[in-house]
Amino acid sequence: MENFRKVRTSEEESPLPFPDLPPDVVEMKVKEGSKIRNLMNFAMAQMELKGSRQIVFSGCGRAVTKTITCVEIMKRKLGGLHQVTKVRYKTLLEVWENQDPLPGGPAQNLTVHKNVPSICILLSRDPLDPNQTGYQPPEPRHGLGTQLGEPYAGYI
């Protein structure tokens, strides 16, 4: 492989694993090089300013942890979001080109099919089916200054 260099990588398109999504649902495709600040600015604008009811975050390979981070930030900022998580594998196609082709011979390319882990997370303001695999209900809201509904008295 030392004589080959990666020319291109592409992923096979696959439909989102959530049935009955509205056609205008926002899908945030998180990539390895995506900046969390940029992703969150756009996603928060969609949910708060444009009034979207649902948003899907998806990422594969090294972007899986960044995808989860974005979802957790959004859940903490907005609160009351229902979540369904689906984990699957995606196939990436990598094309490698030979750096040292045989003299007078055709250029040799190598195509590699890689199966990488992928995650899709649906966040919804509306209730989702709790019997669905991967469902998480909204976290109960407790403020930092309250304990069981009473004011925090730690500084008295």
Side-chain angles (χ1 to χ4, degrees), residues 5-9 93-97 109-112:
R5 73 178 171 94
K6 193 185 313 183
V7 178
R8 142 179 104 252
T9 302
L93 302 174
E94 291 182 346
V95 178
W96 294 74
E97 182 180 75
N109 284 347
L110 181 66
T111 302
V112 178

Side-chain angles (χ1 to χ4, degrees), residues 1-6 96-100:
M1 287 299 286
E2 65 272 354
N3 294 334
F4 286 82
R5 73 178 171 94
K6 193 185 313 183
W96 294 74
E97 182 180 75
N98 191 350
Q99 299 283 125
D100 292 331

Side-chain angles (χ1 to χ4, degrees), residues 9-86:
T9 302
S10 60
E11 65 183 59
E12 290 182 351
E13 287 301 316
S14 55
L16 292 173
F18 306 108
D20 305 325
L21 281 180
D24 62 340
V25 70
V26 177
E27 181 184 3
M28 302 295 298
K29 292 184 179 181
V30 180
K31 304 287 183 196
E32 182 181 349
S34 299
K35 301 283 184 231
I36 291 177
R37 175 178 296 143
N38 296 341
L39 292 166
M40 294 312 301
N41 285 341
F42 183 80
M44 293 298 285
Q46 293 298 308
M47 292 295 279
E48 290 182 323
L49 302 177
K50 296 215 174 161
S52 295
R53 305 295 299 164
Q54 296 179 326
I55 191 166
V56 176
F57 284 86
S58 62
C60 66
R62 294 185 191 171
V64 168
T65 54
K66 193 172 284 194
T67 304
I68 294 168
T69 300
C70 289
V71 166
E72 293 300 323
I73 290 170
M74 179 156 275
K75 284 170 39 180
R76 289 201 182 23
K77 284 191 174 193
L78 293 182
L81 295 175
H82 297 263
Q83 175 180 335
V84 175
T85 303
K86 301 286 184 188

Side-chain angles (χ1 to χ4, degrees), residues 19 54 82-84 86 122 124 126-137:
Q54 296 179 326
H82 297 263
Q83 175 180 335
V84 175
K86 301 286 184 188
L122 169 65
S124 177
D126 304 321
L128 299 170
D129 179 11
N131 297 321
Q132 211 174 155
T133 304
Y135 174 77
Q136 291 181 32

